[in-house]
Amino acid sequence: KQQANCAPCAAGSASNQVGRNHTCDLCAPGTSQQFTGKTSCTNCTAGFAVNVHGATACVACAPGTYTQADGHLTCDACTKQQFQSQPGQSLCSPCPRGQSNDLTGRSACFPCAAGTFSNQTGLLHCFNCPKGTAQPLTGATSCSACLGV
């Protein structure tokens, strides 16, 4: 059978071989190729991942997850004391003052409850107000001295 034209590799595959007997290779997990006729697949960039062969696109990491480097198959969960509220990110942020987090994979930290505070970033738990102080509000960064008690 004669072939009048070369068939380009489909999206999700690539080949850098020349000649009529070449085959296209599916993109490996951690890589993708959205265009036809390409010679290579591209690593997923930080904040994106894909865990299948033949991907045409990498998937943004969901809020609460991240990838720090290129070519990841899966996204990593943010650790305790951290969060990530946006998709497609390459790092997680420490919980801000007035909040804490004792769970992994969170898209937000928890505000400190009334009677507690956090005056530091990246806390696992909020601190109880010391004796002789109080805090009626949530999300506080300090407690106030009790007067006239």
Side-chain angles (χ1 to χ4, degrees), residues 131-134 144-149:
K131 187 175 182 176
T133 67
S144 301
C146 296
L147 301 175
V149 178

Side-chain angles (χ1 to χ4, degrees), residues 4 6 18 25 27 29 44-45 47 52 55 66 69 72 80 89 107 109 129 133 138:
C6 294
V18 178
D25 297 316
C27 294
C44 296
T45 57
V52 297
Y66 72 103
H72 270 256
K80 295 176 181 182
Q89 299 301 306
S107 60
C109 296
C129 289
T133 67
T138 61

